Amino acid sequence: TADRLVLYQKTGRRETGARAKEIWSARIDQVSSFSVGKVVGLRGGLTVKFDDGQEAAFAIFFMKRHKQRFAKALGWAEDASMN
């Protein structure tokens, strides 16, 4: 949404018509930075850091391909607050 960062997970539940479900969300104005890299063992993904010092990490395949689109979705310039 315009003010919230929302992550979805594929469900594969064709009988209900729901192909994805919301698994996490946060307010965009609380995000201070994000990075793309290893998050769990050898799995790559996304780490989001917040103004209060907390962070959230998610294993997301091929996140490197979507880094600039993610920044754009946050309303940030391509190089702002990214590692």
Side-chain angles (χ1 to χ4, degrees), residues 35-40 43-47 57-61 63-64:
S35 61
V36 174
K38 292 181 183 176
V39 293
V40 179
R43 296 184 188 263
L46 170 70
T47 301
F58 305 92
I60 301 174
F61 293 108
M63 187 60 203
K64 286 184 181 182

Side-chain angles (χ1 to χ4, degrees), residues 3-18:
D3 61 340
R4 296 195 65 76
L5 172 62
V6 181
L7 295 181
Y8 293 88
Q9 181 179 35
K10 289 183 182 180
T11 62
R13 296 179 186 238
R14 295 177 190 222
E15 64 276 359
T16 64

Side-chain angles (χ1 to χ4, degrees), residues 4-78:
R4 296 195 65 76
L5 172 62
V6 181
L7 295 181
Y8 293 88
Q9 181 179 35
K10 289 183 182 180
T11 62
R13 296 179 186 238
R14 295 177 190 222
E15 64 276 359
T16 64
R19 294 193 174 234
K21 66 178 180 177
E22 181 178 324
I23 59 165
W24 181 85
S25 70
R27 290 183 23 204
I28 290 175
D29 62 357
Q30 294 177 333
V31 176
S32 60
S33 67
F34 74 91
S35 61
V36 174
K38 292 181 183 176
V39 293
V40 179
L42 298 176
R43 296 184 188 263
L46 170 70
T47 301
V48 180
K49 297 183 181 181
F50 297 94
D51 293 334
D52 63 3
Q54 293 188 0
E55 57 182 53
F58 305 92
I60 301 174
F61 293 108
F62 308 114
M63 187 60 203
K64 286 184 181 182
R65 294 183 190 172
H66 304 294
K67 184 176 180 179
Q68 291 177 343
R69 287 181 25 197
F70 187 77
K72 184 178 179 182
L74 291 174
W76 297 354
E78 290 182 10

